[in-house]
Amino acid sequence: MNKLQQVYEATDVGLVRQGNEDNLAVLPNVNVYAVADGMGGEAAGEVASQMLVDSVRQLLTGQAVVREADLCQAILLANRAIRQYVLENPGCEGMGTTATLLHIDEQSDHGSWAHVGDSRLYVLRRDSQILEQITQDHSYVEDLVRQGTITREEAQNHPQRNMLTRAVGAMENLQVDSGKLTVNAGDIFLLATDGLMKHVTDAAIVRLLRENHENPAKVLVNAALADGGTDNVTAVVVSLT
Ligand code: CA
């Protein structure tokens, strides 16, 4: 089945930060979408997330067939590039980025994803009111939640909630999560950096995605800003019709 994809994107520096360390990639010719949330002092975070989206474009633009393994390769390519950059710029020690990638196969009923860090991929299925989180955060608080040490609500305001256990550029042997998913007309996919989830609840995201907006990604970003916009915030919405 051939599906029409409507893609919306938005990113904002927020109301507190000086620079926007988030980046996004939309590659309509291969139906690949990505968000990245950089970290590191000075401009290092911006460089890291830019290197991630550059690697995605370099490896996947013009590719006849995009497979799950190709998404992982793009992340690993960025991992090597960032580590090389740090070798050449020792002041940038500690720089890295999250990476959340989605590919929709237009000719079939499936897609694939690859992921490192605490940005997220969600799906809102046709006729559902439940936002399903596909990716798992690679963060210290997520580990504590899984161990049962703290609740999901406590994780929201935990002082170490920004501490990642995995990041692109942070380790030589980077383990990339990936998977396949079914894709149906009416599904809405959302890729977002944590600047959105810090401020907008799942229920509010569902409500805003179900409303008829010219740019739903921009509406989500604006909702985060309206709640304080303490972080950079980025959203890519892929709506299948
Ligand atoms: Ca962030």
Side-chain angles (χ1 to χ4, degrees), residues 33-82:
Y33 314 102
V35 298
D37 178 350
M39 67 210 70
E42 302 295 319
E46 280 177 56
V47 174
S49 62
Q50 184 66 51
M51 287 172 106
L52 186 279
V53 297
D54 286 349
S55 296
V56 169
R57 288 200 183 95
Q58 186 190 328
L59 200 69
L60 302 178
T61 304
Q63 192 136 324
V65 181
V66 177
R67 297 159 306 167
E68 181 184 333
D70 298 320
L71 301 181
C72 297
Q73 279 306 320
I75 294 177
L76 293 172
L77 179 67
N79 193 55
R80 287 193 295 274
I82 293 167

Side-chain angles (χ1 to χ4, degrees), residues 196-214:
L196 179 68
M197 286 74 83
K198 280 173 186 167
H199 291 293
V200 189
T201 63
D202 286 9
I205 291 173
V206 170
R207 181 172 52 77
L208 293 170
L209 288 176
R210 287 281 177 236
E211 291 171 1
N212 225 346
H213 292 287
E214 196 178 327

Side-chain angles (χ1 to χ4, degrees), residues 162-178:
N162 288 330
M163 193 187 292
L164 296 186
T165 51
R166 263 192 249 175
V168 185
M171 51 208 73
E172 185 157 352
N173 293 311
L174 179 68
Q175 195 193 337
V176 178
D177 287 356
S178 67

Side-chain angles (χ1 to χ4, degrees), residues 22 37 194-195 198 231-232:
D22 285 359
D37 178 350
D194 67 336
K198 280 173 186 167
D231 195 358
N232 307 144

Side-chain angles (χ1 to χ4, degrees), residues 38-167:
M39 67 210 70
E42 302 295 319
E46 280 177 56
V47 174
S49 62
Q50 184 66 51
M51 287 172 106
L52 186 279
V53 297
D54 286 349
S55 296
V56 169
R57 288 200 183 95
Q58 186 190 328
L59 200 69
L60 302 178
T61 304
Q63 192 136 324
V65 181
V66 177
R67 297 159 306 167
E68 181 184 333
D70 298 320
L71 301 181
C72 297
Q73 279 306 320
I75 294 177
L76 293 172
L77 179 67
N79 193 55
R80 287 193 295 274
I82 293 167
R83 294 188 67 76
Q84 185 61 35
Y85 185 90
V86 171
L87 277 180
E88 291 159 9
N89 301 272
C92 292
E93 192 79 43
M95 81 187 255
T97 183
T98 70
T100 301
L101 277 59
L102 170 68
H103 170 247
I104 306 278
D105 186 345
E106 271 193 327
Q107 307 304 324
S108 74
D109 58 357
H110 75 270
S112 51
W113 57 272
H115 164 75
V116 169
D118 69 348
S119 301
R120 290 180 182 173
L121 170 64
Y122 294 98
V123 62
L124 179 60
R125 297 292 186 188
R126 179 198 185 111
D127 300 328
S128 171
Q129 295 301 317
I130 295 167
L131 193 65
E132 293 172 45
Q133 186 180 335
I134 309 250
T135 51
Q136 201 165 55
D137 293 356
H138 300 133
S139 67
Y140 174 66
V141 292
E142 180 66 27
D143 287 353
L144 294 181
V145 170
R146 252 177 279 156
Q147 290 158 13
T149 312
I150 61 169
T151 65
R152 198 151 287 288
E153 289 66 41
E154 286 167 334
Q156 283 278 352
N157 298 305
H158 197 281
Q160 265 104 46
R161 67 181 182 280
N162 288 330
M163 193 187 292
L164 296 186
T165 51
R166 263 192 249 175

